[in-house]
Amino acid sequence: MCVGVPAKVLHIDGFSALVDVMGSQMNVGVIFVPEVKIGDYVIVHAGQAMSIIDEEYAKESLEEWRKLVDARRDG
């Protein structure tokens, strides 16, 4: 099973993009989504943007990720 995390694209530089994942920024590859634009949401797995996703779905998914993180932290 693979797990992908939703991320918002902040900047694009060739085949790399700066994305925001729950407040953390990182660079990921965008070779699999050459049509990606700044402001799009993508699913990131293993340092690569794998697909572009709908903003509403991304926000719902991020809410669920936040619940998981909070539950783990609260213990």
Side-chain angles (χ1 to χ4, degrees):
M1 181 173 125
C2 297
V3 177
V5 180
K8 184 174 184 176
V9 177
L10 303 176
H11 178 77
I12 300 170
D13 184 15
F15 294 112
S16 180
L18 178 66
V19 299
D20 180 280
V21 179
M22 297 175 60
S24 295
Q25 294 182 0
M26 65 181 68
N27 287 300
V28 300
V30 292
I31 196 162
F32 298 123
V33 287
E35 68 279 14
V36 71
K37 301 181 299 292
I38 294 171
D40 283 348
Y41 284 84
V42 295
I43 291 291
V44 175
H45 172 70
Q48 296 293 320
M50 303 305 288
S51 61
I52 299 170
I53 59 173
D54 176 80
E55 182 176 354
E56 183 178 332
Y57 172 77
K59 289 181 178 181
E60 289 172 6
S61 182
L62 285 168
E63 186 176 316
E64 294 303 315
W65 277 101
R66 177 57 58 201
K67 288 177 187 176
L68 287 170
V69 170
D70 290 347
R72 183 172 169 98
R73 184 189 65 224
D74 295 341

